[in-house]
């Protein structure tokens, strides 16, 4: 496989200006005109500003931002629902931005499926018919479409509800139908636009678990849009933070929490329960040659809070960190764990108060 | 200067203008009248066939067929029983044949209005320009006194069924066009986006999403169209359409009160039957929106 037909999605220098004469202003924007100037002088909206992002195949990439940050606009560039003003969206050697309408239809039918915030199910069709929608558009035979639909309805836990209409189901169940509809398309890429944002908190966590469980086995390229940091940290193998149409930081959850790229991201992650996000391997100290190793062992990918609980209940102060292959990653002690669980910014402001 | 009387065109030039236009239209009628009649002759045959079928079949069969049709559309025994009672009374009071003619006429007019109107409504929903062109035409069709467009229709086709059908369709088609347009425009944008995101072609989007979701609204338009065709039967009888309208017209001319009321009530009865039936059908189309299983 050469670099040009990678199944990663490559977003390169993507700009989107909303307005009737967007193309006239792209040069000024590239030369440094700001969002506010564009809006005041020309009444055009700069929605995305020089976005560069690699979305690796088979992983979950979360694009996070507050409302108006451009995250929904960005995700719609991936399947061509919105065309960029400038830039490229490359997948498998093709640029989605320059596909013809016929090519786009083909791409959407075969390669990329989508789950929507407001479910967007077909209200006049049953659960079964909704799930069979994608395959039926592809021209798959009716019996095969039904087989696929039943399979995925079963996988999202809706067996028995095939003949219900969407309006007869709760929000959580409707979104399971939305998920089944997208999965029945058997596409490599799954776009999820605030897919769980309209659900109650408990149902939301439930749906996240279903998604993670399915992803273990499916290994799809998932692009998940959310404004909820907890959701982003729970789901994202890679997290991209967007603000006012500009990318703030792209990284793993440890990168985002431990090494925020700027004060905006730092503010964002300030309230995070770090103990539940961080894995011990990220704070373990490497073993020196003549170190004496503790007997108590913990797994490298365990979260800090779980490890802290185990260590305190066992009454040990120091533990050996081993990864799945059994290699020693390092050692960890309780003060280091506590230190990592406290946000440095909060610690600093407390120290000032005390003084 | 005289500010009271409006500065008019001179009588001579006004007359000349009218004569020129009338002359041109008369020439057009002479040149194209027969061709147009030939084009519309299948309409005449269809209407005659349906009339004969309803009038010359045994009445009990006709009644059974109509009841079955109403049952299939409405699934309501109340409406079926009401219809049977009304039709039996109509027959008993000697209006069976005229009623059958009127039903045939309304059926054909509605069919044409639907076949022509729904595609126009779809085109209007797809394109702003079509919408901008068709809307004022519809406004004109609905407000222009019907007698005015009866004149050219009669000049081309003479008296009879075909001009009657044309006049009725012109009068009754606007609701089905407008409500088709409205119904399609009201489809939720997020559902349309989903259809796009799954790779629907325009035709698939129309077939799978827009038309089914607009159908209850379209049915409301069809219902209005049926009601308006029925209202037009009396006017159409002035240009030779036979049916319940003719005795009403006769009753006006000769001041037969009872005859007028009876035929009028027969029209009302048919209108109510058709209205309830199509409404019940419209409700059935929205079954999916009920919350309970």
């Amino acid at each position: 496989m050469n670099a040009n037909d990678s199944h990663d999605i490559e977003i390169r220098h993507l700009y989107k200006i909303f307005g009737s004469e967007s193309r006239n202003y792209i040069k000024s924007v590239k030369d440094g005109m700001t969002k506010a100037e564009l809006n005041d002088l020309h009444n055009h909206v700069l929605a995305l500003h020089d976005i560069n992002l690699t979305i690796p195949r088979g992983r979950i990439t979360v694009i996070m931002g507050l409302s108006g940050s451009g995250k929904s606009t960005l995700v719609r560039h991936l399947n061509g629902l919105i065309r960029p003003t400038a830039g490229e969206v490359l997948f498998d050697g093709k640029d989605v931005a320059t596909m013809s309408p016929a090519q786009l239809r083909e791409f959407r039918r075969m390669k990329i499926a989508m789950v929507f915030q407001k479910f967007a199910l077909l209200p006049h069709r049953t659960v079964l018919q909704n799930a069979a929608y994608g395959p039926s558009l592809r021209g798959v035979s009716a019996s095969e479409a039904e087989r696929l639909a039943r399979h995925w309805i079963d996988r999202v836990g809706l067996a028995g509800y095939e003949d219900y209409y969407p309006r007869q189901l709760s929000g959580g169940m409707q979104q399971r139908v939305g998920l089944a509809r997208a999965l029945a398309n058997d596409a490599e890429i799954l776009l999820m636009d605030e897919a769980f944002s309209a659900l109650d908190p408990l149902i939301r966590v439930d749906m996240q678990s279903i998604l993670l469980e399915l992803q273990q086995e499916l290994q799809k390229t998932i692009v998940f849009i959310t404004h909820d940091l907890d959701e982003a940290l729970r789901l994202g193998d890679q997290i991209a933070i967007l603000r006012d149409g500009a990318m703030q930081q792209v990284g793993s959850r440890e990168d985002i929490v431990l090494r925020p790229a700027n004060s905006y991201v730092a503010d964002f992650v300030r309230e995070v329960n770090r103990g539940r996000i961080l894995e011990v391997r990220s704070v373990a100290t490497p073993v020196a040659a003549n170190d004496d190793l503790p007997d108590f062992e913990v797994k490298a990918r365990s979260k800090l809070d779980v490890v802290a609980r185990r260590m305190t209940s066992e009454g040990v102060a120091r533990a050996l960190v081993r990864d799945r292959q059994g290699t020693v990653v390092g050692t960890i002690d309780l003060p280091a764990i506590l230190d990592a669980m406290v946000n440095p910014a909060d610690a600093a402001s407390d120290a000032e108060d005390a003084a | 200067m005289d500010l009271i009387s409006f500065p008019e065109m001179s009588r001579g030039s006004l007359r000349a203008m009218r004569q020129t236009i009338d002359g041109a239209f008369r020439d057009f009628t002479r040149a194209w009248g027969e061709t147009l009649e030939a084009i519309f002759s299948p309409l005449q045959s269809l209407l005659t066939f349906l009339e004969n079928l309803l009038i010359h079949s045994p009445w009990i069969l006709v009644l059974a067929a109509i009841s079955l049709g109403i049952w299939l559309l409405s699934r309501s025994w109340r409406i079926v029983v009401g219809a049977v009672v009304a039709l039996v009374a109509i027959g008993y009071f000697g209006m069976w044949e005229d009623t059958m003619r009127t039903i045939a006429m309304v059926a054909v007019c509605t069919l044409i209005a639907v076949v022509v109107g729904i595609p126009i409504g779809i085109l209007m929903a797809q394109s702003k320009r079509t919408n901008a062109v068709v809307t004022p035409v519809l406004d004109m069709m609905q407000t222009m006194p019907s007698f005015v467009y009866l004149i050219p229709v009669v000049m081309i086709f003479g008296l009879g069924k075909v001009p009657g059908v044309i006049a009725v369709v012109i009068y009754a088609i606007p609701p089905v066009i407008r409500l088709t347009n409205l119904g399609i425009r009201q489809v939720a944008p997020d559902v349309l986006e989903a259809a796009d995101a799954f790779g629907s072609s325009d035709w698939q989007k129309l077939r799978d999403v827009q038309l089914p979701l607009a159908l209850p609204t379209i049915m409301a338009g069809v219902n209005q169209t049926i009601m308006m065709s029925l209202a037009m039967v009396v006017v159409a009888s002035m240009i030779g359409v036979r049916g319940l309208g003719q005795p009403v017209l006769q009753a006006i001319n000769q001041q037969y009160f009872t005859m007028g009321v009876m035929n009028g009530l027969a029209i009302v009865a048919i209108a109510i039957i058709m209205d309830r039936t199509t409404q019940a059908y419209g409700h059935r189309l929205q079954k999916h929106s009920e919350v309970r299983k």
Side-chain angles (χ1 to χ4, degrees):
Chain A
M1 194 197 292
N2 71 36
N4 287 333
D5 50 12
S6 152
H7 282 238
D8 298 348
I9 305 169
E10 296 278 354
I11 300 173
R12 295 214 184 119
H13 301 296
L14 192 76
Y15 289 83
K16 177 67 190 177
I17 301 174
F18 283 114
S20 49
E21 286 149 42
S22 54
R23 295 206 177 272
N24 298 346
Y25 302 118
I26 187 69
K27 192 168 177 318
S28 334
V29 168
K30 283 185 177 174
D31 289 344
M33 180 185 272
T34 66
K35 182 175 177 142
E37 285 167 355
L38 183 71
N39 198 0
D40 293 345
L41 296 175
H42 306 296
N43 203 19
H44 277 50
V45 177
L46 179 56
L48 292 174
H49 186 261
D50 197 14
I51 302 294
N52 291 283
L53 180 64
T54 300
I55 295 167
R57 83 183 287 188
R59 314 300 300 274
I60 301 182
T61 295
V62 173
I63 298 173
M64 203 191 69
L66 302 178
S67 57
S69 61
K71 55 193 189 306
S72 287
T73 305
L74 178 57
V75 77
R76 278 165 176 71
H77 281 84
L78 301 180
N79 61 356
L81 285 175
I82 298 178
R83 298 299 190 108
T85 312
E88 298 175 315
V89 178
L90 301 173
F91 176 78
D92 196 12
K94 295 186 200 81
D95 182 3
V96 179
T98 57
M99 283 184 182
S100 69
Q103 286 172 320
L104 255 187
R105 272 204 299 278
E106 194 62 14
F107 178 63
R108 289 167 181 167
R109 285 177 189 178
M110 312 307 288
K111 303 282 186 195
I112 194 160
M114 192 162 180
V115 182
F116 297 86
Q117 178 175 13
K118 288 192 251 157
F119 320 137
L121 302 172
L122 303 177
H124 60 293
R125 293 192 171 194
T126 61
V127 169
L128 184 67
Q129 291 164 336
N130 264 291
Y133 182 59
S136 77
L137 288 178
R138 281 203 314 246
V140 167
S141 74
S143 60
E144 174 65 6
E146 189 182 321
R147 193 191 64 76
L148 280 167
R150 282 189 191 282
H151 173 73
W152 289 109
I153 288 171
D154 192 39
R155 287 304 306 273
V156 299
L158 275 184
Y161 289 93
E162 286 86 351
D163 295 327
Y164 281 61
Y165 285 103
R167 223 161 291 190
Q168 297 167 326
L169 304 178
S170 67
M173 287 160 95
Q174 288 190 39
Q175 195 56 302
R176 288 176 197 232
V177 181
L179 190 57
R181 173 174 72 174
L183 292 170
N185 235 17
D186 200 21
E188 247 182 278
I189 308 168
L190 184 58
L191 306 180
M192 305 188 71
D193 179 23
E194 300 241 20
F196 305 150
S197 300
L199 306 177
D200 297 337
L202 284 178
I203 311 274
R204 190 185 311 170
V205 173
D206 232 26
M207 292 295 290
Q208 291 165 0
S209 309
I210 292 176
L211 181 67
L212 286 172
E213 196 181 299
L214 286 167
Q215 172 67 354
Q216 283 268 315
E217 153 192 355
L218 299 174
Q219 304 284 308
K220 285 185 187 290
T221 308
I222 298 181
V223 182
F224 194 101
I225 304 295
T226 184
H227 60 253
D228 176 0
L229 184 64
D230 289 330
E231 187 164 71
L233 293 169
R234 173 142 193 244
L235 297 177
D237 296 314
Q238 172 181 256
I239 298 169
I241 297 183
L242 207 56
R243 179 201 192 189
D244 282 346
M247 198 58 87
Q248 303 295 308
Q249 184 173 3
V250 180
S252 67
R253 49 175 88 78
E254 279 83 13
D255 289 337
I256 300 285
V257 174
L258 290 178
R259 294 175 286 280
N262 55 32
S263 60
Y264 180 75
V265 178
D267 278 351
F268 228 112
V269 298
R270 195 166 173 165
E271 303 300 328
V272 164
N273 181 344
R274 298 156 69 98
R276 204 180 292 164
I277 307 297
L278 299 177
E279 297 170 355
V280 274
R281 62 179 175 148
S282 60
V283 290
T285 26
V287 185
N290 53 357
D291 232 350
D292 68 308
L293 299 176
D295 299 331
F296 194 75
E297 291 191 359
V298 294
K299 291 191 208 118
R301 308 210 58 164
S302 304
K303 307 290 186 208
L304 288 183
D305 57 353
V306 177
V307 171
R309 167 158 285 251
R310 276 187 61 204
M311 287 172 71
T312 45
S313 66
E314 293 290 323
V316 295
R318 208 157 155 259
L320 187 68
V321 181
R322 269 192 209 275
D323 67 13
R324 221 178 271 166
Q325 285 76 40
T327 319
V328 172
V329 177
T331 61
I332 183 124
D333 56 16
L334 275 176
I337 291 178
L338 282 176
D339 188 50
M341 282 168 74
V342 176
N343 187 318
D346 286 343
S349 71
D350 272 4
E352 272 169 37
D353 290 348
Chain B
M1 216 165 81
D2 183 4
L3 289 177
I4 303 299
S5 62
F6 201 88
E8 297 174 329
M9 199 175 174
S10 81
R11 280 173 189 242
S13 18
L14 196 60
R15 193 186 314 124
M17 190 190 83
R18 283 204 309 253
Q19 278 171 350
T20 317
I21 296 176
D22 284 347
F25 189 71
R26 204 171 299 125
D27 291 342
F28 168 81
T29 312
R30 285 205 190 103
W32 293 96
E34 283 187 21
T35 322
L36 284 171
E37 266 183 74
I39 293 174
F40 282 96
S41 71
L43 205 63
Q44 170 106 25
S45 325
L46 174 65
L47 190 49
T48 313
F49 168 77
L50 196 59
E51 258 185 34
N52 288 337
L53 188 71
L54 287 172
I55 293 171
H56 298 303
S57 305
W59 64 270
I60 189 87
L61 282 185
V62 174
L63 193 59
I66 292 177
S67 307
L68 181 68
I70 293 176
W71 164 249
L72 289 178
L73 286 174
S74 69
R75 300 294 155 95
S76 152
W77 285 116
R78 269 183 55 219
I79 299 176
V80 173
V81 170
V84 169
V85 170
L87 285 170
V88 165
I90 282 170
Y92 187 68
F93 287 113
M95 296 179 289
W96 182 261
E97 201 175 309
D98 280 341
T99 302
M100 290 305 122
R101 286 188 206 285
T102 294
I103 290 178
M105 178 84 181
V106 171
V108 169
C109 291
T110 306
L111 181 73
I112 295 170
V114 165
V115 168
V116 177
I118 290 182
I120 296 178
I122 292 172
L123 288 177
M124 281 174 80
Q126 311 283 348
S127 126
K128 265 192 193 148
R129 193 176 299 164
T130 316
N131 197 22
V133 172
V134 178
T135 305
V137 176
L138 293 181
D139 293 340
M140 197 171 82
M141 284 160 79
Q142 283 187 297
T143 45
M144 179 77 87
S146 38
F147 300 105
V148 175
Y149 53 76
L150 284 181
I151 303 167
V153 170
V154 170
M155 278 173 77
I156 295 174
F157 295 101
L159 296 177
K161 289 182 183 124
V162 170
V165 169
I166 294 173
V168 172
V169 169
I170 292 177
Y171 181 73
I173 204 172
V176 72
I177 299 179
R178 281 188 204 273
L179 286 164
T180 301
N181 179 19
L182 178 73
I184 292 179
R185 283 174 187 270
Q186 276 178 338
V187 171
D190 52 333
V191 181
L192 289 178
E193 188 181 46
D196 280 332
F198 280 85
S200 284
S201 62
D202 286 346
W203 160 243
Q204 286 171 326
K205 199 158 62 175
L206 187 66
R207 183 196 63 191
D208 298 339
V209 182
Q210 291 171 308
L211 279 182
L213 290 180
L215 205 51
T217 313
I218 296 176
M219 275 310 295
V222 173
N223 173 286
Q224 284 305 301
T225 289
I226 294 175
M227 295 299 106
M228 289 175 72
S229 339
L230 267 170
M232 192 63 182
V233 202
V234 178
V235 177
S237 68
M238 294 174 66
I239 54 170
V241 174
R242 297 174 65 192
L244 289 169
Q246 258 187 349
V248 172
L249 198 64
Q250 213 180 329
I252 298 171
N253 289 333
Q254 304 179 2
Q255 298 169 12
Y256 294 151
F257 171 68
T258 316
M259 183 175 166
V261 168
M262 271 171 38
N263 285 279
L265 285 178
I267 294 178
V268 171
I270 300 176
I272 292 179
I273 294 170
M274 290 183 166
D275 176 67
R276 296 300 183 271
T277 308
T278 46
Q279 275 198 20
Y281 182 61
H283 280 300
R284 277 183 49 218
L285 290 176
Q286 296 184 65
K287 250 202 145 37
H288 62 77
S289 61
E290 287 169 17
V291 175
R292 274 175 299 114
K293 164 92 177 170

